[in-house]
């Protein structure tokens, strides 16, 4: 779940940052009162819906289960203050997460709500250089119903994520190239009543990440590549013990074409993930290959678009019980997302 939230935070930060670029050189008008300035805003209201299917396979290639995640926005809005260097993004979403094992014995259904509040500010230094910071605050609460051979019943879950980021954005309009870079620190607390009394029933995640994405324009074509590295540490709150380390690095080249009928973007991500548990005795490795195809079109004040993603994850394990590195199965993910926004 933490990677899903992190990806959401980054994408929302980019959305709000893009809204602020048009007003980063705005100067406050001393003739206006505070009440006049505070109502001078632009932004958007919109809706987002996505669905994600994950199919799990064991090392022999046999299907072990399938999970389906759905998320729909109830409220999705962003505000950019023209007289102040402040952007606000708020989203209220409903989600479901359903899992069924291939043999039909293990069935789980989770339903919940998310609140997301993101504050972002930036300052234009000059010569194409812009700096800023953002603070993301997320709350999620849900109930998960288990029906299976080992666990049965309804259990509550909750997560609180706090993420602070600083970014540097550079663009040379004359040469048509630039880069967007950021550094992030995050704190997350997760509570799962199904494991109440155990460390995995109430634990904290502390993590950080750095990323840079150079990009260049060739007329209607934009080419870029992102380089990312992040690391998390999980600590149980019951016994205050270290649970696991998670680290990831990735490279993601992208190409987009903008024409009279919108923008088409293709990205491919290659990532390596490592999870370490049991004092370093157990390690789990995942190789990620993810291709994303996105399209968006703007007409007057409307913006419509969507994405489709195809991900293949190969898993390996090197643990105290495996006797060396072994195949630990794979999973394949298909995700669809559509959105609509009205700008004002």
């Amino acid at each position: 779940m933490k990677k899903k939230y992190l990806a959401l935070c980054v994408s929302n930060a980019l959305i709000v940052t893009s809204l602020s670029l048009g007003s980063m050189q705005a100067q406050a008008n001393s003739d206006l009162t505070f009440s006049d300035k505070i109502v001078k805003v632009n932004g958007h209201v919109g809706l987002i819906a996505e669905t994600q299917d994950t199919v799990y396979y064991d090392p022999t290639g046999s299907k072990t289960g399938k999970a389906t995640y759905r998320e729909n926005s109830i409220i999705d809005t962003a505000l950019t203050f023209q007289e102040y260097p402040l952007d606000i993004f708020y989203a209220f979403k409903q989600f479901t997460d359903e899992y069924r094992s291939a043999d039909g014995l293990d069935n789980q259904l989770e339903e919940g709500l998310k609140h997301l509040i993101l504050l972002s500010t930036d300052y234009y230094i000059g010569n194409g250089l812009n700096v800023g910071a953002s603070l993301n605050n997320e709350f999620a609460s849900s109930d998960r119903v288990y029906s299976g051979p080992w666990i049965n019943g309804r259990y509550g879950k909750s997560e609180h994520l706090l993420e602070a980021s600083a970014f540097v954005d550079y663009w040379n309009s004359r040469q048509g190239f630039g880069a967007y870079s950021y550094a992030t620190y995050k704190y997350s607390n997760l509570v799962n009543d199904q494991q109440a009394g155990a460390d995995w029933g109430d634990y904290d995640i502390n993590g950080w990440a750095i990323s840079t994405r150079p990009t260049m324009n060739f007329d209607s074509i934009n080419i870029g590549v992102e380089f990312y590295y992040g690391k998390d540490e999980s600590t149980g709150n019951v016994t205050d013990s270290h649970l696991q380390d998670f680290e990831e690095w990735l490279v993601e080249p992208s190409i987009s074409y903008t024409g009279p009928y919108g923008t088409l973007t293709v990205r491919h991500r290659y990532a390596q993930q490592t999870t370490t548990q049991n004092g370093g005795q157990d390690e789990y490795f995942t190789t990620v290959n993810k291709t994303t195809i996105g399209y968006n079109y703007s007409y007057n004040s409307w913006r419509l678009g969507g994405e489709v993603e195809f991900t293949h994850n190969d898993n390996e394990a090197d643990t105290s019980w495996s006797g060396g590195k072994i195949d630990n199965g794979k999973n394949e993910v298909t995700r669809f997302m559509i959105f609509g926004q009205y700008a004002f």
Side-chain angles (χ1 to χ4, degrees):
M1 180 175 287
K2 60 177 180 292
K3 292 307 296 176
K4 184 183 300 178
Y5 273 132
L6 180 58
L8 177 65
C9 296
V10 172
S11 63
N12 286 333
L14 293 176
I15 290 173
V16 174
T17 301
S18 67
L19 288 174
S20 67
L21 292 180
S23 60
M24 62 188 179
Q25 299 186 57
Q27 301 296 320
N29 190 335
S30 59
D31 296 331
L32 298 177
T33 65
F34 173 78
S35 59
D36 292 330
K37 295 177 182 179
I38 202 68
V39 297
K40 294 187 66 176
V41 298
N42 53 31
H44 77 251
V45 292
L47 295 174
I48 300 176
E50 68 173 279
T51 180
Q52 177 175 290
D53 290 325
T54 305
V55 181
Y56 300 92
Y57 299 90
D58 65 17
T60 67
S62 299
K63 178 180 174 181
T64 60
K66 179 182 179 180
T68 299
Y69 178 85
R70 295 184 177 92
E71 184 175 285
N72 305 286
S73 62
I74 301 171
I75 301 172
D76 184 283
T77 185
L79 298 175
T80 295
F81 293 87
Q82 299 177 18
E83 299 293 334
Y84 297 100
L86 177 64
D87 304 301
I88 301 175
F89 178 88
Y90 173 73
F92 179 37
K93 301 184 177 185
Q94 179 270 341
F95 69 91
T96 61
D97 191 3
E98 183 176 9
Y99 174 81
R100 294 182 181 275
S101 62
D103 57 16
L105 298 178
D106 185 9
N107 299 289
Q108 303 174 25
L109 176 62
E110 182 176 347
E111 298 178 309
L113 299 171
K114 294 181 184 180
H115 291 271
L116 182 150
I117 302 174
L118 176 66
L119 304 178
S120 178
T121 183
D122 66 328
Y123 178 76
Y124 183 64
I125 296 176
N127 295 321
L129 187 62
N130 192 52
V131 298
S134 65
L135 181 65
N136 179 64
N137 208 0
E138 289 188 44
F139 301 90
S141 61
S142 61
D143 287 318
R144 193 170 187 93
V145 178
Y146 295 82
S147 176
W150 304 285
I151 305 172
N152 286 276
R154 179 186 296 269
Y155 298 89
K157 295 178 64 179
S158 65
E159 178 172 0
H160 176 212
L161 171 67
L162 188 64
E163 187 174 51
S165 301
F167 63 85
V168 178
D169 184 25
Y170 172 75
W171 182 253
N172 187 318
S173 58
R174 183 176 302 177
Q175 302 295 328
F177 73 90
Y180 178 86
S181 303
Y182 69 87
T184 295
Y185 168 78
K186 74 170 183 176
Y187 164 80
S188 182
N189 172 253
L190 297 94
V191 176
N192 183 358
D193 292 344
Q194 190 273 318
Q195 299 191 52
D199 278 319
W200 284 111
D202 183 354
Y203 65 98
D204 295 335
I205 300 174
N206 288 276
W208 58 270
I210 54 174
S211 171
T212 186
R213 183 181 183 274
T215 181
M216 189 164 188
N217 281 347
F218 299 90
D219 294 326
S220 299
I221 297 176
N222 176 272
I223 296 177
V225 57
E226 179 184 6
F227 302 93
Y228 168 96
Y229 178 79
K231 189 170 185 178
D232 297 340
E233 180 179 298
S234 299
T235 304
N237 291 321
V238 176
T239 63
D240 197 30
S241 60
H242 177 265
L243 299 178
Q244 73 175 24
D245 291 324
F246 174 87
E247 64 176 339
E248 177 182 34
W249 65 263
L250 66 83
V251 57
E252 184 176 84
S254 64
I255 182 170
S256 64
Y257 169 78
T258 301
Y261 300 104
T263 299
L264 178 67
T265 302
V266 179
R267 306 190 304 271
H268 182 80
R269 172 177 298 186
Y270 177 82
Q272 291 284 344
Q273 301 173 350
T274 302
T275 301
T276 304
Q277 298 177 341
N278 193 22
Q281 298 185 56
D282 299 335
E283 290 186 303
Y284 302 89
F285 308 94
T286 299
T287 300
V288 180
N289 280 281
K290 179 170 69 174
T291 300
T292 305
I293 302 172
Y295 171 79
N296 68 81
Y297 176 73
S298 298
Y299 178 76
N300 292 333
S301 298
W302 292 93
R303 185 180 179 217
L304 306 172
E307 286 185 347
V308 58
E309 287 183 351
F310 304 98
T311 306
H312 181 90
N313 298 325
D314 288 309
N315 304 308
E316 295 179 304
D318 187 356
T319 68
S320 54
W321 49 264
S322 65
K325 184 178 287 189
I326 61 171
D327 187 347
N328 200 33
K330 65 179 182 179
N331 54 287
E332 296 178 341
V333 185
T334 305
R335 172 180 170 268
F336 297 93
M337 182 273 288
I338 58 173
F339 71 88
Q341 294 176 348
Y342 176 79
F344 56 87

